[in-house]
Each structure stands twice: as C-alpha cells, then as structure tokens.
C-alpha cells in the first residue's frame, strides 16, 4: 500500500475533517494546511518527513501496526 492510500484510510477511520486535523497539528506546533494534507492523501505530493507522518498518525489515532 502506498503512502497516499494509507493516509487516506487513516483519515477516513479518524472521522476528522482536514481542517480539524490541521488545527490539531497546529496545537502540536506543526503548522500544515488542510490543502497540504489533501495533496498528501491524494498522492499529489511525495510523503512528508517522518515527523509530519508521526504527528498525522497520532492525531488520526493510527496504531504503529497499520
């Protein structure tokens, strides 16, 4: 499974909007826009840094085993 597809599934399971995810990232001192998250999950951008991936996974409630 590629990064974009995995991120899309994690976001769907979280039932959070991209705006909510962006806001929660900001609360953890990571400023990313809903548009950036959308481009990641649609495969229009390459996978982000490990830091960004870990914060997105944490916010969306993904386990390390996914």
């Amino acid at each position: 499974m590629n990064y974009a597809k995995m991120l899309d599934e994690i976001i769907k399971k979280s039932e959070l909007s991209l705006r909510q995810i962006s806001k929660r990232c900001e609360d953890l001192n990571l400023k990313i826009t809903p548009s950036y998250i959308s481009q990641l999950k649609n495969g229009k951008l390459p996978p982000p840094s490990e830091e960004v991936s870990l914060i997105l996974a944490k916010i969306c409630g993904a386990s390390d085993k996914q």
Side-chain angles (χ1 to χ4, degrees):
M1 177 182 308
N2 69 25
Y3 183 86
K5 185 170 174 64
M6 182 175 58
L7 182 61
D8 186 45
E9 287 184 13
I10 289 169
I11 290 171
K12 284 178 183 170
K13 286 180 185 176
S14 76
E15 298 183 353
L16 295 170
S17 71
L18 298 183
R19 188 176 298 268
Q20 289 171 314
I21 294 169
S22 176
K23 173 67 175 119
R24 290 182 186 190
C25 285
E26 196 172 319
D27 293 342
L28 295 174
N29 297 317
L30 175 67
K31 188 157 177 63
I32 59 176
T33 64
S35 173
Y36 177 72
I37 299 167
S38 176
Q39 290 176 329
L40 288 174
K41 78 179 194 80
N42 290 319
K44 294 184 179 182
L45 291 174
S49 69
E50 185 175 349
E51 175 191 12
V52 172
S53 292
L54 290 172
I55 290 175
L56 288 172
K58 179 179 180 179
I59 288 168
C60 294
S63 70
D64 293 341
K65 295 183 171 51
Q66 286 189 347

